[in-house]
Amino acid sequence: MYGSKPTYQHLVISMEEASELIQSISKLYRFGSSSERITNLIEEMVDVLICFELLKILYNIPDELINLMIITKMKRNAERIDK
């Protein structure tokens, strides 16, 4: 599948999974933690991580680029916090 052409379905599924993660986080924020809500959060995080990996494959995005951007953004966030 490496380098496969992304389809509308791949993109829609990724958006839907991201939305479900947002809803899970929103429930934690509004109603607090419970074992059921934490379990749901973990399940939604896993679904998003799977979509993340699929998108990396479909768009030929190397892990090295992702890691570089993580470091760059973490530094930027640390600088904002230190101000």
Side-chain angles (χ1 to χ4, degrees):
M1 178 183 273
Y2 187 78
S4 297
K5 182 179 178 194
T7 66
Y8 175 79
Q9 183 178 4
H10 289 122
L11 299 176
V12 170
I13 289 170
S14 294
M15 290 187 294
E16 289 171 351
E17 294 299 347
S19 175
E20 290 174 14
L21 176 59
I22 291 168
Q23 290 174 2
S24 178
I25 294 167
S26 177
K27 286 180 182 178
L28 282 169
Y29 176 75
R30 291 184 327 209
F31 305 117
S33 296
S34 71
S35 60
E36 182 180 332
R37 285 190 207 101
I38 297 295
T39 298
N40 181 257
L41 174 68
I42 294 166
E43 289 174 1
E44 298 307 337
M45 289 171 66
V46 168
D47 289 341
V48 168
L49 285 170
I50 291 167
C51 289
F52 181 83
E53 292 300 322
L54 178 62
L55 290 169
K56 285 183 356 186
I57 291 167
L58 292 172
Y59 287 99
N60 295 315
I61 301 170
D63 287 335
E64 296 79 17
L65 180 57
I66 297 290
N67 292 334
L68 177 62
M69 292 195 94
I70 288 171
I71 291 167
T72 302
K73 287 184 172 266
M74 287 180 71
K75 285 180 182 176
R76 190 178 320 143
N77 288 336
E79 290 170 3
R80 289 181 190 150
I81 292 169
D82 289 339
K83 289 183 179 181

